[in-house]
Amino acid sequence: MAGTIPVIDFSDYGLDVAQENVTENNLKQLADKVYEAFSTIGFCYIKNHEALKVSKDFFEQPDSVKQKYTRPTDANYGWVAREREMLNPDRKVGDLKEAYNFTLTDDIKTMPVDIIPDFHQCLEKLFKQCALLADRVFDVMSIGLNLPKRFLRNCHHYDVKTNQTTLRTLYYPEVKDVKPKQLRCGEHSDYGTVTFLFQTDDGLEVMNRQGEYIQVPPIPDTMIINIGDLMQRWTADKLLASKHKVGMPTGSQKNQGRQSIAFFLQPDDETIVKCLDGSDKYEPISSIDYLNMRFGVPNN
Ligand SMILES: O=C(O)CCC(=O)C(=O)O
Ligand SMILES: [Fe+2]
């Protein structure tokens, strides 16, 4: 199946199944499928999650309103204006997108709850659901990597003071004036361990092992999981952080916005990421040092 993105049915270990009702056999079968996907293309779709619809009301506000919630340069929450980010600096033009970064803080002063009353509650609920599902995805990944079942889960707690996991809701406006080389989101790989991605429309493309970009269209009732650079490093390149991008729409799709939500998982700050196979292919590094190094990349 190298080169295509498999759809994996996660129902044996979905959130509606009590942990104690899952058989080791079912878990192992799931682990094998997830391992196969992550070690060949670094991406998979999984079936079985709650559909979601959040935050569009916020992005449809005028910029003058959204500015109040702007992400500070020294913090990881808040609104990111159009063209502020350039995920592929070689393009020399900002991505045609907006985003809002949400972390599990109690400080809701930074959130647009005055204009969108449900904003905090909705994103907080989604963050927590994603975190519960992540625990389970980490279990099957650990089994696939021949690690103790809870190894990866135990490196990801979601305490806002010691863990940088972020839920990011993204909005790609309808396309009017496109600058040369501009994309909705430039070529990049994600920084952390894994990313969950919910998307509404076409546009996402992923590089396969032959170096070609393939379309990753939305499939109803699924979400995408992909590997980030830190997990590739941790597994000494067994699991792959594939490059991806969001291209500009063409034809009638130009008049359509696109939404996605990414849940970027990061191990706890002090977790030492040391090659799990003992190879020392990469130097051990703490999760927070690695993230700071990546955030130091110009224009990010
Ligand atoms: O919007 C998407 O589908 C992908 C966004 C993405 O790859 C990212 O923000 O890292
Ligand atoms: Fe990404």
Side-chain angles (χ1 to χ4, degrees), residues 43 87 185 188-190 195 204 226 244 262 264:
F43 269 70
L87 285 196
C185 177
H188 68 285
S189 46
D190 296 343
T195 304
L204 180 65
N226 66 279
H244 50 284
F264 294 111

Side-chain angles (χ1 to χ4, degrees), residues 245-264:
K245 62 180 177 180
V246 182
M248 285 295 177
T250 51
S252 60
Q253 292 210 340
K254 276 184 163 188
N255 305 325
Q256 219 170 289
R258 177 178 188 275
Q259 273 192 276
S260 66
I261 295 187
F263 187 58
F264 294 111

Side-chain angles (χ1 to χ4, degrees), residues 149-190:
K149 177 176 157 187
R150 304 228 159 197
F151 180 87
L152 289 171
R153 169 195 285 242
N154 287 339
C155 298
H156 295 76
H157 300 92
Y158 304 99
D159 183 337
V160 67
K161 295 193 189 69
T162 52
N163 182 289
Q164 309 303 320
T165 295
T166 303
L167 184 73
R168 162 170 257 213
T169 166
L170 287 139
Y171 183 71
Y172 303 91
E174 66 181 72
V175 172
K176 290 193 190 113
D177 304 312
V178 179
K179 299 187 174 134
K181 299 184 85 178
Q182 192 170 36
L183 293 183
R184 278 182 153 170
C185 177
E187 299 84 349
H188 68 285
S189 46
D190 296 343

